Amino acid sequence: MTSNPFNAASSQIAASILSADFSKLAAEIAEVDRGGVDFLHLDVMDGHFVPNISFGPAVTAATRRSTTAFLDVHLMISEPERYAADFVKAGADAMTFHIEVAPDPAATARRIRLAGCKHVGITLNPATAVETIFPALESVDHVLVMSVVPGFSGQKFMPEVLPKALAVKKRLRKDQRLEIDGGIHAETIRQARDVGVDWFVVASGIFDQKDRAAAIAELRQRLK
Ligand code: DX5
Ligand code: ZN
């Protein structure tokens, strides 16, 4: 895995552990590491902002103990600022908060940074207008465009978000990154690449496959 995907010029593939077998998380992570993913994506859900509950700082810390991989924490929670320090302590390298819960996103980004987070990202749901994040772009290191309604892995990719990704890409600086999350697999990854996405988050497209290494190789092949 790469130590920091911000330093990589080419497309990066992140494995979302949401679809991993949590009874053997360390082995699952080792397998996708050997299989060639670039970093890990951790989906934190609070049962309030999204209808599902996943995990929090404890599993993030356990993940940290099992790998040196870059940990990209996606906060699908109503109060991201309140928990930012806990996730920093748990070993998060990057944190992404939702615009839907941040009325003053520049302030939220600043507070998450003050909590010690090195890389701060902003994300938006498929139903949220892209213009809402424009004023915050200067304050963040990366932008995550959701290509499913957040809450569960294994949902169908929503191609209608691609123009949004393109609109964001046009406004990003060279040192910022564009990430996409939801329904990414061999059949959809290319469309996302073609609008300028840098980082591709994949849960079921890797962990639900019999041969994970082959699935990762196939994703990479489609990016060429
Ligand atoms: C969705 C999560 C995603 C999810 C992706 O709520 O934010 O990261 O794990 O799952 P797949 O790749 O299966 O769509
Ligand atoms: Zn996610």
Side-chain angles (χ1 to χ4, degrees), residues 194-208:
D194 287 347
V195 295
V197 170
D198 303 296
W199 297 350
F200 307 85
V201 176
V202 187
S204 55
I206 293 174
F207 285 107
D208 289 0

Side-chain angles (χ1 to χ4, degrees), residues 13 15-37 186 202-220:
I13 297 172
S16 161
I17 64 167
L18 190 59
S19 289
D21 180 342
F22 285 95
S23 73
K24 46 174 181 172
L25 186 55
E28 296 279 89
I29 290 169
E31 187 181 336
V32 297
D33 184 5
R34 280 196 306 276
V37 298
V202 187
S204 55
I206 293 174
F207 285 107
D208 289 0
Q209 309 305 309
K210 243 204 189 116
D211 186 339
R212 277 105 173 240
I216 296 160
E218 172 75 19
L219 289 166
R220 229 179 258 295

Side-chain angles (χ1 to χ4, degrees), residues 83-99:
Y83 296 98
D86 293 337
F87 284 100
V88 168
K89 203 167 156 217
D93 294 297
M95 255 178 248
T96 301
F97 66 93
H98 273 262
I99 180 78

Side-chain angles (χ1 to χ4, degrees), residues 16 18 41 43 45 74 76 146 150-154 181-183 202-204:
S16 161
L18 190 59
H41 180 89
D43 287 307
M45 304 180 182
H74 177 190
M76 285 163 275
M146 289 308 302
F152 301 91
S153 55
D181 185 7
V202 187
S204 55

